[in-house]
Amino acid sequence: QSVLTQPPSVSGAPGQRVTISCTGSSSNIGAGYDVHWYQQLPGTAPKLLIYGNSNRPSGVPDRFSGSKSGTSASLAITGLQAEDEADYYCQSYDSSLSGFWVFGGGTKLTVL
Amino acid sequence: EVQLLESGGGLVQPGGSLRLSCAASGFTFSSYAMSWVRQAPGKGLEWVSAISGSGGSTYYADSVKGRFTISRDNSKNTLYLQMNSLRAEDTAVYYCAKGPIVVVVAGAYYFDYWGQGTLVTVSS
């Protein structure tokens, strides 16, 4: 079981908006630690998509946005495109005994 | 351009050892913390270990503490992961990942560049 909980799958048609949630607890997201998001296209390494809750690295389209509130965070993708079909992971820091940097279980985005 | 190239993966028997390497280029290696992150077949991502830019601070996941050792040679721009007492559950693709700054800051640490990964299979 992952410390951060994501839905296993989401889907949307081209052009639509989808959101992926990442639910944590008082020892990670709720403690104020930043949330970061990664995109993993099939057969490739993960790529940083959002850092520091809502910041996009250079080269990431502004169709991707992140937000955080309380013990949860969300990744929103607008104007969905076929090439967005991938696995998405959230990541944060956890201060519990097991500690350190934790990932969500991942969400498979299917573009219909 | 940042490049991270892992090597050293392969098939090893349970209880065996393996050393992974990650050759870095395109940035000032000693100025950034580095990590290893693994992904078991068909599964999600799991952070394994991290090291500060100087190599003076190291961090391990509970699942590998006491068995794995992270190190770096800044003169060779290379990151290492020595893996001992390997178990079947260590089977995964191991990614080398660059941190955003020289130190490992708990709540603000993330992985801004990743290598292509190297597969480690632990099986008899």
Side-chain angles (χ1 to χ4, degrees):
Chain A
Q1 297 286 3
S2 301
V3 173
L4 304 178
T5 301
Q6 298 180 234
S9 63
V10 297
S11 62
Q16 285 190 332
R17 178 181 186 270
V18 297
T19 61
I20 297 173
S21 61
C22 175
T23 302
S25 67
S26 58
S27 64
N28 41 70
I29 299 174
Y33 297 118
D34 286 346
V35 177
H36 320 287
W37 292 88
Y38 303 87
Q39 177 193 59
Q40 186 174 32
L41 297 170
T44 70
K47 168 191 167 186
L48 180 65
L49 203 59
I50 297 287
Y51 67 95
N53 305 315
S54 59
N55 300 292
R56 280 177 287 105
S58 174
V60 173
D62 59 7
R63 301 187 297 105
F64 295 90
S65 63
S67 63
K68 177 187 142 182
S69 177
T71 58
S72 295
S74 290
L75 172 70
I77 309 172
T78 59
L80 205 56
Q81 299 179 4
E83 56 262 38
D84 297 334
E85 188 159 293
D87 292 324
Y88 293 84
Y89 294 90
C90 61
Q91 176 245 314
S92 186
Y93 176 82
D94 190 274
S95 60
S96 65
L97 286 178
S98 59
F100 301 132
W101 298 278
V102 292
F103 289 91
T107 298
K108 170 66 177 178
L109 169 62
T110 300
V111 180
L112 302 171
Chain B
E1 179 192 6
V2 172
Q3 291 195 350
L4 300 170
L5 185 61
E6 302 94 335
S7 61
L11 175 63
V12 60
Q13 293 188 337
S17 298
L18 213 54
R19 188 177 86 154
L20 305 183
S21 299
C22 171
S25 61
F27 64 102
T28 304
F29 184 66
S30 60
S31 294
Y32 296 91
M34 298 292 294
S35 282
W36 290 96
V37 178
R38 69 184 180 183
Q39 185 171 34
K43 302 297 184 182
L45 301 171
E46 180 189 15
W47 170 79
V48 172
S49 184
I51 186 169
S52 62
S54 67
S57 298
T58 57
Y59 309 83
Y60 298 94
D62 283 351
S63 57
V64 306
K65 195 175 299 182
R67 300 187 299 122
F68 290 11
T69 302
I70 191 172
S71 63
R72 62 193 297 160
D73 186 336
N74 287 343
S75 68
K76 295 182 178 180
N77 291 348
T78 303
L79 176 72
Y80 302 101
L81 185 67
Q82 177 66 44
M83 304 186 295
N84 299 330
S85 303
L86 282 161
R87 307 166 179 167
E89 54 265 36
D90 295 319
T91 294
V93 173
Y94 284 73
Y95 294 102
C96 163
K98 173 185 168 293
I101 54 176
V102 66
V103 293
V104 181
V105 180
Y109 190 67
Y110 55 91
F111 315 102
D112 56 5
Y113 290 93
W114 300 62
Q116 88 292 341
T118 186
L119 177 62
V120 173
T121 303
V122 184
S123 175
S124 55

